[in-house]
Amino acid sequence: MLYDKLKSYKESGIYPFHMPGHKRNDIVNDGILPYNIDLTEIHGFDNLHNACGCIKEIEKKAEKLYCVNRTFLLVNGATGGILSSIRAMTNFGDKIIVARNCHKSVYNAIELCGLNPEYILPDYDEKYGVFTSVSPHKLELLLTKNPETKLVIITSPTYEGVMSDIKTIADICHRHGAMLFVDEAHGAHFQFSDKFPNEAVKCGADVAVVSLHKTLPSLTQTALLLTNNLELSEKLQENLSIFETSSPSYILMSAIEKCLDFISDNKSDFEAYTNRLSDFYNDTKSLKNILILYNDKSFLENCFDYDFGKIVISSAETDISGAELGKILREKYKIETEMSYTDYVIAMTSVCDTDEGFGRLKNALFEIDNSLIKIEKNYDDYNFSEIPERNFNSFQKNSFNSEKIMFKNAQGRVSLEYIWAYPPGIPLIVPGEVITDKLINQINILLENNIQINSTKNSMPDYIYTAEND
């Protein structure tokens, strides 16, 4: 409906004395950028922050497809939904429980909202260096120890596709009087095949965000906020008006609409997609040195469930790193993967992938596999399954004198910056936490493996802003 209105308006002959400044003219004259359907909130085109017309119809379409009571369109990515949801579900100073492997946008929300986090470490697979599921038992112990907890935040699926038991976790949270927010950014496709795990809100989460652009055919920055908790709807809308742009892109909103239409009209494509995935996993079981993680039964024993749409290619038992494997795939085979880490590569798939694409990846892996040697590695060097000592909460960081020092000399100092590897964008240390020799060594190993390390003030990898450890 919105897309058709945009096309019709383009052809109407109406002159645009309004934003955007390109006035629907293709200034590069190549037909690639859709200038001619880029509009603002003019008459008849609804308003994202008070939807009652064509945008409201897109929300209703999403609610029907995802089987939820309320959906909000997100054009600032899942990040806007994460910030808005956490602020809507808490008050300043609240105690919350947060899975330590959450995306940095969750940590930004904690800082902005002045929250007091208690961290829970998901289980960790030391062999492959991957966080697995959040333990419901450990969470219940933590909630019992912290009865004032207002909100629990977890990521499921993780970047590697690992799922937690959302139904059991939601039941535990609600029994202890806490709400549950799930960063489900990488699980937008779950609803559309029973071969994938169940969607978080369906399992009892109070609120979840899904990124359409990650695993479905939509444009970058498009996402949805999902909830069955209608009592939260007004607060969610209020906070979306704070964190989401007041000039939302009609191109992005129409992309959401066309993505939802695609899902409705092409349900059989998801069966073909999951069949391609199953064939790929079966065919790659015979790799000798490289391992596709979800083909390893011992790894699966550590996971509640997993999204097999994430192909996690492990080089943990070979003589190359994940970064080297990613480079070979890129330079020799013209295959660009989503992420290369210390000892694995992630190939993200979607319903739009082809037989030819899966075949190219499979053939490349078998060729590479034949050139590798199986070896043992020391995984303790980059095991991040510890929570650093905390001196103060992140929102208090501006109360301390800042000193820029060389990172290699920062042992014992308190960080005033977030440091994270990107991707996946999970903080390795948070403002207020103490820097240790082990952390310095671990980050140096990541750098040696050509993993990109970022920090809040772009001082890394050479320098870091710190305070004294009082």
Side-chain angles (χ1 to χ4, degrees):
M1 182 177 180
L2 176 59
Y3 179 74
D4 292 336
K5 283 174 67 72
L6 291 168
K7 280 181 62 180
S8 178
Y9 192 80
K10 177 193 74 170
E11 297 163 357
S12 68
I14 297 174
Y15 187 87
F17 276 113
H18 56 71
M19 298 186 293
H22 53 66
K23 301 303 180 85
R24 304 204 310 274
N25 291 311
D26 184 355
I27 62 171
V28 292
N29 295 312
D30 62 6
I32 294 176
L33 294 176
Y35 287 101
N36 52 25
I37 60 168
D38 186 20
L39 302 180
T40 188
E41 294 93 337
I42 57 176
H43 178 73
F45 279 84
D46 210 355
N47 186 308
L48 177 62
H49 296 292
N50 186 27
C52 57
C54 55
I55 297 174
K56 187 66 176 177
E57 292 304 313
I58 302 174
E59 292 178 347
K60 289 180 179 178
K61 188 177 296 186
E63 287 159 8
K64 183 177 180 180
L65 282 170
Y66 280 90
C67 301
V68 296
N69 292 333
R70 189 73 174 90
T71 295
F72 298 89
L73 308 190
L74 303 175
V75 294
N76 290 48
T79 292
I82 288 169
L83 294 169
S84 303
S85 299
I86 293 174
R87 189 171 187 268
M89 300 170 82
T90 59
N91 294 312
F92 191 91
D94 277 352
K95 168 76 77 171
I96 62 172
I97 293 175
V98 185
R100 185 67 190 194
N101 64 331
C102 282
H103 186 263
K104 63 189 180 70
S105 57
V106 170
Y107 291 82
N108 290 338
I110 292 169
E111 179 181 336
L112 288 169
C113 299
L115 301 174
N116 182 18
E118 192 74 33
Y119 295 113
I120 183 169
L121 272 172
D123 293 335
Y124 188 78
D125 189 288
E126 294 186 359
K127 180 177 180 181
Y128 297 115
V130 173
F131 281 111
T132 58
S133 305
V134 172
S135 163
H137 175 68
K138 290 179 183 176
L139 176 61
E140 179 133 45
L141 291 176
L142 204 54
L143 281 165
T144 301
K145 188 177 177 180
N146 298 274
E148 71 279 23
T149 299
K150 297 294 180 63
L151 178 65
V152 174
I153 305 169
I154 68 171
T155 299
S156 180
T158 65
Y159 215 116
E160 294 80 15
V162 176
M163 301 295 301
S164 293
D165 184 353
I166 301 300
K167 187 178 187 308
T168 299
I169 287 172
D171 289 344
I172 291 169
C173 290
H174 297 153
R175 192 163 64 245
H176 285 266
M179 289 188 288
L180 174 64
F181 173 79
V182 178
D183 177 356
E184 197 180 17
H186 287 262
H189 56 296
F190 285 178
Q191 186 68 14
F192 310 114
S193 171
D194 59 10
K195 302 288 180 64
F196 295 118
N198 286 325
E199 193 275 319
V201 171
K202 181 183 287 188
C203 292
D206 293 278
V207 182
V209 290
V210 294
S211 287
L212 299 179
H213 72 94
K214 284 183 168 63
T215 58
L216 291 173
S218 194
L219 294 179
T220 300
Q221 290 187 209
T222 57
L224 298 172
L225 191 159
L226 310 173
T227 186
N228 280 333
N229 190 336
L230 294 178
E231 292 182 8
L232 272 176
S233 292
E234 287 187 2
K235 283 190 173 183
L236 291 168
Q237 181 68 74
E238 174 189 354
N239 284 280
L240 283 166
S241 297
I242 295 171
F243 290 107
E244 193 162 29
T245 176
S246 61
S247 300
S249 167
Y250 277 76
I251 294 170
L252 295 181
M253 289 188 287
S254 65
I256 293 175
E257 179 184 36
K258 299 308 288 183
C259 175
L260 299 175
D261 287 343
F262 174 90
I263 293 166
S264 297
D265 298 339
N266 298 277
K267 292 181 180 177
S268 62
D269 286 11
F270 284 90
E271 182 178 0
Y273 167 43
T274 56
N275 287 339
R276 289 188 193 102
L277 283 167
S278 296
D279 290 343
F280 177 88
Y281 281 92
N282 286 329
D283 292 345
T284 54
K285 285 180 180 178
S286 58
L287 288 165
K288 300 191 299 285
N289 302 302
I290 293 172
L291 176 73
I292 308 302
L293 219 55
Y294 297 128
N295 280 335
D296 180 4
K297 292 182 180 179
S298 65
F299 178 78
L300 294 177
E301 289 171 0
N302 296 326
C303 303
F304 170 74
D305 201 353
Y306 65 97
D307 169 22
F308 76 146
K310 286 285 186 70
I311 300 176
V312 186
I313 307 162
S314 174
S315 62
E317 297 183 329
T318 76
D319 56 340
I320 63 171
S321 68
E324 289 170 317
L325 176 57
K327 184 178 180 181
I328 294 169
L329 286 168
R330 178 172 56 253
E331 295 183 354
K332 183 175 180 180
Y333 297 95
K334 306 300 181 186
I335 296 172
E336 186 70 61
T337 54
E338 167 68 18
M339 170 188 171
S340 299
Y341 207 57
T342 47
D343 276 319
Y344 60 90
V345 168
I346 296 176
M348 282 182 65
T349 69
S350 85
V351 66
C352 294
D353 280 306
T354 62
D355 289 330
E356 190 270 338
F358 278 104
R360 280 182 63 187
L361 178 59
K362 181 181 68 174
N363 292 337
L365 292 177
F366 273 99
E367 282 192 21
I368 296 168
D369 190 63
N370 287 331
S371 69
L372 301 180
I373 300 171
K374 190 178 286 289
I375 64 169
E376 291 187 9
K377 295 179 182 176
N378 181 7
Y379 302 101
D380 289 336
D381 288 340
Y382 40 81
N383 183 337
F384 289 95
S385 61
E386 295 179 6
I387 299 173
E389 175 190 348
R390 181 170 36 171
N391 193 297
F392 52 83
N393 285 327
S394 58
F395 69 88
Q396 299 171 302
K397 66 181 183 182
N398 292 331
S399 302
F400 296 84
N401 292 326
S402 175
E403 183 180 354
K404 184 179 180 181
I405 65 173
M406 294 187 72
F407 182 64
K408 67 180 182 180
N409 299 327
Q411 188 271 338
R413 303 278 297 184
V414 179
S415 179
L416 294 178
E417 295 193 69
Y418 298 92
I419 303 174
W420 66 92
Y422 191 83
I426 297 169
L428 306 173
I429 196 163
V430 174
E433 295 179 343
V434 179
I435 300 167
T436 63
D437 278 335
K438 183 175 181 179
L439 177 71
I440 294 170
N441 182 55
Q442 289 170 325
I443 289 176
N444 284 334
I445 290 172
L446 293 179
L447 291 167
E448 290 167 5
N449 279 275
N450 296 312
I451 308 300
Q452 181 181 341
I453 299 295
N454 296 336
S455 64
T456 313
K457 299 183 180 181
N458 294 321
S459 62
M460 287 290 289
D462 297 321
Y463 292 92
I464 181 72
Y465 285 86
T466 67
E468 289 185 4
N469 187 5
D470 295 328

